Amino acid sequence: MAAVSTLVLLLSCFLPQFLLSSVLAAGDGRKTFIVHVQRDAKPSVFQTHDHWYESSLNTLSDGDGANRMIHTYSNVFHGFSARMSAIEAKKMESLPGILAVIPEQVRRLETTRSPEFLGLTRTDSAGLLKESDFGSDLVIGVLDTGIWPERKSFSDEDLGPVPAKWKGECVAGRDFPASSCNRKLIGARYFTRGYEATNGKMNESTEYRSPRDSDGHGTHTASIAAGRYVFPASTLGYARGVAAGMAPKARLAAYKVCWISGCYDADILAAFDSAVADGVDVISLSVGGVVVPYYLDAIAIAAFGASDAGVFVSASAGNGGPGGLTVTNIAPWVTTVGAGTIDRDFPADVQLGNGKILPGMSIYGGPTLTPHRLYPLIYAGSVGSDGYSSSLCLDGSLDPNVVNGKIVLCDRGINSRAVKGEVVKRAGGIAMILANGVFDGEGLVADCHVLPATAVGAAAGDEIRKYISVASKTKSPPTATIQFRGTRLNVRPAPVVASFSSRGPNPETPEIIKPDVIAPGVNILAAWPDGVGPSGLPSDNRRTEFNILSGTSMACPHVSGLAALLKAAHPDWSPAAIRSALMTTAYTVDNRGEAMTDESTGNSSTVMDFGSGHVHPQKAMNPGLVYDISSYDYVDFLCNSNYTTNNIHVITRKFADCRGAKRAGHAGNLNYPSFSAVFQQYSKHKLSTHFIRTVTNVGDPNSVYTVSIKPPPGTTVTVEPARLPFRRVGQKLNFLLRVQTEEVKLSPGNSRVSTGSITWSDGKHQVTSPVVVTLQEPL
């Protein structure tokens, strides 16, 4: 039986039975485990922790403990990873100091006009870039697929010396000498042991055993966070202009943790461990996985250790939208970032033989179709031996005798959008129209296709299928062409919540609204490696210095770079204070002055889609008030979330006395910059709860803030006191927010969500927080 990767943490709780059963059911083949130990647990007979770890392994097996070791960890938590069978892992639980087994997840990647769209321009005489010196002494650690160091985006021209605090390394490897680093890219490491423990030895003909990027994703995200100004920049002639990251002078450290088959928790944890020890200020993580309780989530555990050390952690919300309950990376000590559009797109419209023109989008840059000529048009689902496979343009599903010389309509799903184009091209198709399904809605992203191609929304796809069906029965067979219109700026409305962006509510802790914010994540121009074509397909021999990608993977590093700028401008701010500044100054209206819309439906979006709203960097520099959170506040939150003291120790490495925390309130009382009241109705006619918050004055001394309230429909919201007089900067004041509502008629298992907000203002600053009330009818 193939080995399945599993995670073992040496923690203060035992493996939940459902997880243990799944591990044992997988058979006795060796798997990867991570063992987490208390710092002072090492028996005195061992000189080093490594000796102790090897001895623990040797007691279980044939004495080859050293060979089974994968990584050791000593910063975000203490322990090691190793190969064991499920039965050996069970025995490991009984050894002194080894207490629990947790299954590992394999994470997946969540795959430039955006600085200008965000109001960050290098010519400003004042503002966040100027105030922070463009982030020059801050270090952003990017955990991703590596980096292509030769790109101009990573030039160290005119940068000062490497910050004295930096303790990291430039680890050499294949095609990546130590000289690949400079004063911009100041560190680079790669982590293969967890990946190879599950998959066997790496195929070095397709991947680099080094920090060099063979995928492109890591190069792209790193340059979004901190790329230098580069002119001219474009992709295949599209999006011409200046490319720049959010913090152009911030330093970068690349931690390669993602490989062809995914990103393994054992390696991600090792990267977190190294990044904190190296001295990064921000960690940017554009990967996602399945939501599990925090004590079973390796990223949540590692991120807590980083946050506890003062490191800001931002992570992608996921690309599972537009459905609800899809958001990932939802721990409250992580800033969770969804994706929105910017005011630029790349129209490529479909003209049908009946004269109708339907909107589409593409960044195809090769020879176009002959102007003013219409080509035969077919639907792939009606031309293959297997209608389902051919409708999706899966590999080998199209009949070249039917497809040759025609424009082919393919449905979205299963295989990648670029691969569908390759399938059509191999079958002899002259062009492709890619139609969204119902679930995708009207959200469009541009792709660098290998043949003339465009993407259309679900409604347009239905119209094209109907046209093909009707015209095929007449003397005028269906025809079409694609009109590529280049780059369009000042698009309205923008921003719009991206269709793919994962949505709330928070599946683990509904009292904490996730995502926290959204940021640009659709059609983002950023650096790209030489070794990969812009479509990402192995057969694509085109080369470009920049590429245009979409995903919450692209939104996350925008916030990582902004966090570096804010930390540079305010060195004393904690990770929670930085997140608070980004959240309370975010906006929820588009460039028409209307409520932001949801790309998938065209209707107004909600707090569950965008959290507190779209980031506004200039306002975040001076938010007026912040909601700060300490590590012990998170411990109280976990107590009130009914985690056991053992669970809490697993996550925080702190021993919790939950008696005081539970007397003080509930999980919603974490000092978070948003409010979520969740009521189980249980035939109660009147429902109420309260939230206690503490705000810290980071604005002006002798300022008085008054509150304005927009209650969610059907609720009463009160705030006491309604006036907060601050005498000095740094002063903290408390307030209580009470929510009252009444039972509504709901079917069992259904819920109703209503949203409002509160805003504290001193006449200069507007400090806004969403208020969400959820009524649930139990089954």
Side-chain angles (χ1 to χ4, degrees):
M1 180 176 291
V4 178
S5 200
T6 310
L7 177 70
V8 175
L9 287 178
L10 203 160
L11 305 162
S12 45
C13 68
F14 289 93
L15 177 68
Q17 192 59 44
F18 80 95
L19 289 171
L20 181 60
S21 298
S22 66
V23 170
L24 294 175
D28 292 342
R30 290 182 181 177
K31 307 158 186 71
T32 301
F33 294 83
I34 299 172
V35 182
H36 185 188
V37 302
Q38 296 179 19
R39 296 183 213 190
D40 56 356
K42 179 178 70 67
S44 58
V45 296
F46 298 106
Q47 291 186 339
T48 67
H49 281 83
D50 285 7
H51 290 147
W52 174 36
Y53 302 157
E54 289 177 19
S55 175
S56 298
L57 285 169
N58 288 337
T59 62
L60 301 177
S61 59
D62 48 10
D64 64 343
N67 294 328
R68 296 188 184 205
M69 197 82 71
I70 298 173
H71 291 298
T72 60
Y73 312 102
S74 58
N75 293 295
V76 294
F77 63 88
H78 290 257
F80 64 97
S81 54
R83 296 286 287 174
M84 291 176 279
S85 71
I87 290 175
E88 289 168 342
K90 181 65 176 173
K91 291 179 181 177
M92 177 72 80
E93 286 185 326
S94 65
L95 296 179
I98 297 176
L99 305 172
V101 179
I102 301 173
E104 182 185 55
Q105 286 194 55
V106 181
R107 313 281 175 158
R108 304 295 175 191
L109 298 167
E110 305 289 8
T111 180
T112 299
R113 185 171 163 79
S114 49
E116 185 179 340
F117 182 68
L118 289 170
L120 297 174
T121 58
R122 57 176 168 173
T123 56
D124 284 350
S125 59
L128 183 54
L129 284 175
K130 180 76 172 179
E131 191 73 19
S132 65
D133 189 24
F134 299 78
S136 62
D137 282 333
L138 275 291
V139 184
I140 302 173
V142 180
L143 278 60
D144 213 296
T145 64
I147 197 164
W148 198 268
E150 293 82 10
R151 284 294 175 243
K152 294 176 186 175
S153 296
F154 310 126
S155 165
D156 65 355
E157 183 178 357
D158 299 327
L159 286 183
V162 173
K165 66 176 183 179
W166 181 246
K167 300 180 179 66
E169 297 179 41
C170 193
V171 178
R174 180 188 155 206
D175 293 343
F176 197 98
S179 59
S180 299
C181 294
N182 56 20
R183 295 189 310 277
K184 175 66 174 179
L185 177 63
I186 63 174
R189 299 180 185 270
Y190 64 101
F191 302 85
T192 63
R193 295 176 185 172
Y195 164 53
E196 292 186 312
T198 296
N199 296 279
K201 189 172 173 61
M202 177 193 306
N203 179 356
E204 296 193 40
S205 68
T206 57
E207 296 190 272
Y208 293 101
R209 189 181 292 278
S210 74
R212 187 169 291 280
D213 185 4
S214 59
D215 178 272
H217 192 274
T219 299
H220 203 268
T221 56
S223 68
I224 291 171
R228 303 299 303 276
Y229 288 101
V230 180
F231 177 83
S234 69
T235 297
L236 307 178
Y238 290 84
R240 293 184 185 275
V242 177
M246 295 296 96
K249 286 189 178 179
R251 315 307 172 107
L252 280 166
Y255 299 86
K256 185 176 178 179
V257 298
C258 294
W259 307 87
I260 281 179
S261 65
C263 321
Y264 290 79
D265 275 351
D267 294 332
I268 293 172
L269 292 170
F272 264 98
D273 211 50
S274 293
V276 171
D278 290 345
V280 303
D281 300 284
V282 174
I283 288 176
S284 186
L285 184 68
S286 290
V287 305
V290 177
V291 172
V292 293
Y294 305 125
Y295 65 93
L296 300 176
D297 186 342
I299 287 179
I301 294 166
F304 185 93
S307 176
D308 196 37
V311 177
F312 180 93
V313 179
S314 58
S316 51
N319 293 348
L325 289 166
T326 52
V327 65
T328 65
N329 293 318
I330 41 79
W333 44 87
V334 172
T335 299
T336 311
V337 188
T341 65
I342 61 175
D343 60 347
R344 178 188 67 199
D345 65 14
F346 311 102
D349 301 335
V350 175
Q351 179 185 339
L352 299 178
N354 61 8
K356 285 194 175 180
I357 295 178
L358 302 172
M361 193 174 298
S362 177
I363 43 177
Y364 171 70
T368 58
L369 302 174
T370 303
H372 312 299
R373 178 183 170 187
L374 295 175
Y375 295 82
L377 172 66
I378 59 171
Y379 174 45
S382 61
V383 300
S385 57
D386 175 356
Y388 175 72
S389 296
S390 59
S391 70
L392 296 166
C393 294
L394 301 183
D395 193 25
S397 66
L398 301 182
D399 183 350
N401 295 320
V402 181
V403 167
N404 189 56
K406 297 181 176 68
I407 296 178
V408 181
L409 174 67
C410 300
D411 293 339
R412 188 170 164 183
I414 306 298
N415 56 345
S416 78
R417 301 183 299 270
V419 165
K420 293 177 190 294
E422 185 178 44
V423 170
V424 171
K425 184 178 182 180
R426 281 205 308 263
I430 197 168
M432 176 182 71
I433 301 168
L434 180 58
N436 280 359
V438 174
F439 187 75
D440 303 307
E442 302 307 307
L444 299 179
V445 295
D447 294 301
C448 291
H449 289 288
V450 295
L451 83 171
T454 189
V456 299
D462 289 342
E463 187 161 348
I464 296 170
R465 287 186 209 93
K466 182 178 178 181
Y467 163 68
I468 293 172
S469 176
V470 172
S472 297
K473 300 170 185 174
T474 70
K475 294 181 179 180
S476 300
T479 57
T481 189
I482 301 172
Q483 301 171 341
F484 297 95
R485 302 189 184 279
T487 303
R488 181 171 61 180
L489 302 178
N490 302 312
V491 171
R492 296 160 70 92
V496 171
V497 179
S499 177
F500 58 76
S501 187
S502 291
R503 317 299 169 94
N506 184 330
E508 173 64 15
T509 312
E511 296 84 0
I512 303 296
I513 297 170
K514 292 286 183 172
D516 293 306
V517 290
I518 63 170
V522 178
N523 300 332
I524 303 301
L525 178 78
W528 193 250
D530 261 345
V532 186
S535 68
L537 299 173
S539 62
D540 188 355
N541 295 318
R542 297 172 297 176
R543 294 295 179 259
T544 179
E545 186 171 353
F546 295 90
N547 201 4
I548 293 170
L549 299 181
S550 299
T552 54
S553 278
M554 285 64 250
C556 168
H558 278 89
V559 169
S560 306
L562 295 178
L565 293 178
L566 291 171
K567 183 71 173 176
H570 303 282
D572 57 331
W573 281 10
S574 69
I578 293 170
R579 178 178 58 228
S580 174
L582 289 166
M583 290 175 66
T584 61
T585 59
Y587 60 90
T588 60
V589 296
D590 59 31
N591 54 6
R592 304 170 303 176
E594 299 177 17
M596 276 195 298
T597 58
D598 181 343
E599 188 183 40
S600 67
T601 63
N603 299 326
S604 294
S605 54
T606 72
V607 171
M608 294 303 177
D609 305 327
F610 54 67
S612 291
H614 192 287
V615 291
H616 193 310
Q618 300 291 11
K619 286 188 176 180
M621 183 181 70
N622 185 15
L625 305 175
V626 295
Y627 294 76
D628 209 353
I629 304 175
S630 72
S631 293
Y632 285 98
D633 293 330
Y634 290 125
V635 171
D636 288 347
F637 157 78
L638 293 167
C639 285
N640 286 319
S641 299
N642 295 319
Y643 279 65
T644 67
T645 54
N646 284 339
N647 295 155
I648 295 168
H649 186 67
V650 167
I651 301 162
T652 67
R653 294 186 297 174
K654 302 180 189 304
F655 293 100
D657 181 354
C658 286
R659 290 171 296 182
K662 289 188 175 181
R663 280 197 301 270
H666 51 87
N669 271 346
L670 179 67
N671 201 42
Y672 219 71
S674 58
F675 302 84
S676 176
V678 182
F679 295 108
Q680 300 286 340
Q681 295 197 133
Y682 293 117
S683 298
K684 296 178 182 175
H685 296 296
K686 294 189 180 297
L687 304 159
S688 68
T689 190
H690 70 276
F691 303 88
I692 300 168
R693 293 291 189 268
T694 302
V695 285
T696 304
N697 181 24
V698 295
D700 304 319
N702 300 311
S703 54
V704 178
Y705 285 79
T706 55
V707 70
S708 59
I709 302 170
K710 294 181 180 178
T715 70
T716 300
V717 175
T718 56
V719 175
E720 298 176 5
R723 184 174 174 272
L724 296 175
F726 291 93
R727 297 186 308 277
R728 54 184 171 79
V729 175
Q731 183 179 357
K732 297 177 184 291
L733 291 176
N734 300 329
F735 69 89
L736 183 145
L737 182 148
R738 187 176 299 279
V739 175
Q740 296 172 297
T741 189
E742 293 187 358
E743 181 185 28
V744 297
K745 189 171 181 59
L746 293 170
S747 300
N750 285 2
S751 62
R752 191 189 79 174
V753 179
S754 56
T755 61
S757 64
I758 66 163
T759 300
W760 290 101
S761 177
D762 64 347
K764 176 180 178 182
H765 305 93
Q766 306 287 323
V767 188
T768 301
S769 297
V771 179
V772 176
V773 175
T774 304
L775 299 176
Q776 297 178 340
E777 186 69 27
L779 287 170

